[in-house]
Amino acid sequence: MEDLEPGAAVLSLFSRDPYRKLKRRIGAHKVLDRDEDRLVYAVDASYTAPPGNHDPDLVILCESTEDVIEAVLFAREQGLPIVPRGAGTGMSAGSVPLGGGIVVVTEKMRKVFEVNANERWLHCEPGLTTEDVKQAAAKHRLLYPPDPSSYRISSIGGNVAENAGGLRCVKYGTTKDYVLGLKYVDHEGTVHGTGVLADEPTPLDLTPMIIGSEGLFGIVVEMKLALIPAPKATRTLIAHFAETAQAIATIHTILPELVPSVLEFMDASVIEAIRGHDPYPFPDGTQAALLIETDGERDVCEREAERILEVLQEAGALEIHTASDEAERERLWELRRLVSPSLSRLASGKMNEDVVVPIGRLGDLIDRVALIADQYDTRIPIYGHAGDGNLHLNGMYDADDHKAATRAHDAIVQCFKATVELGGTISGEHGIGAAKNRYMNLQFSQDEIDVLRAMKSAFDPELVFNPNKVLPHSR
Ligand code: MLT
Ligand code: ZN
């Protein structure tokens, strides 16, 4: 072995390090190039990326907008694609670096610049969790309403990139309804402000185009979010039904009369998966359940809850339980949030989809899914934001059984087709990413896809951001 001065081995290793300049510029601790670190960033929460090795070449953990700019410039120098990533809780493989590239993580950018209670807004960086944002608002008795089930760990930047929804979207809308303005770093490393964060008034507000753009246009580094006064009262209840049709009829009676703040559906398979966590045990024979909440001024909230109880009784609900205090209310919300992880009790593999149909077609979709599940010998539990027409269909399969996985996959494609036939869309809140881009043609015409491509080129002419996501591969 060659004789080396003490420290020279380290020095020579370091000088061979292709990332040394970057490490010197932004700090070595922000640059992850070891195999064991990189592979963590090859997946998101969906595990639905196309087959292949998706270990990134490099991961950059940004702590500031300056770091994001450096990361973009470095990726451009290296000729590598850039894959923006928040907390990695996405459900459509949107932050998976397909075949490699540089993953630019904004999770550590966690500044709250200001909460202005008088004007009801919060200005922050993208790495805060959704819960951090909610808590910062709650200190001022304000509410940031969007609440994806993963709110404790999902990042607000990821919520913006995917236009996250959640349980309250039936009354309060989704992330897009709360973003007043953004700052993003473009493909040349330049920072742009939009909406209220624009340096000067612009004729066209780009904010709505960036929200939900799934990391295709740039990297969001700041956001100003609207807040609302926290509701003074809430009433939360769960109803169990012997027939799915009764639950659907309830939805159709409630929605034209009043706007609940939560209206969530769960089918028999979902109920089987969450049994044991249910604060009010599901009676035998429960085929469907609705979690309903109403909020607002105390008297209005009480009146609405009374009316909802009447509707549930008329619909023939088996049992109705109203949360008697905040702790019981929290247990009911928690039960609902546990649905997605609990489905692994039914089978080891799961394709988690989130189609949307017009509210009037909810029953038709549920019937069509049941037929498809039979035809493909696959179990497809259904739950989700029924008040918004957004249902999560989960193709369940034994992960070790290749044939079962193929059947589940084919069944889900049939569900997409049924959704589009019913006037719906193949994603409501989880995004398209790399999980569903090959099905975009089911919903969009070639002309529409070409418009999306033109938008992508306008923001990112050299197609460096998040390649092979959202847009289908071929014309
Ligand atoms: C939910 O509604 O629980 C979320 O969208 C998460 C999921 O479906 O996995
Ligand atoms: Zn959801």
Side-chain angles (χ1 to χ4, degrees), residues 231-273:
K232 299 217 170 55
T234 49
R235 285 282 297 276
T236 311
L237 49 93
I238 190 162
H240 307 144
F241 299 90
E243 287 167 36
T244 304
Q246 296 170 318
I248 300 301
T250 303
I251 295 169
H252 292 321
T253 312
I254 290 177
L255 282 181
E257 281 191 41
L258 54 97
V259 187
S261 47
V262 172
L263 184 45
E264 294 285 316
F265 173 82
M266 294 174 250
D267 79 354
S269 296
V270 167
I271 289 165
E272 181 185 328

Side-chain angles (χ1 to χ4, degrees), residues 149 166-167 336 354 383-385 390 392 429-430:
S149 291
L167 274 66
R336 167 59 187 83
D354 76 318
Y383 67 97
H385 322 297
N390 182 196
H392 298 309
E429 58 173 358
H430 292 174

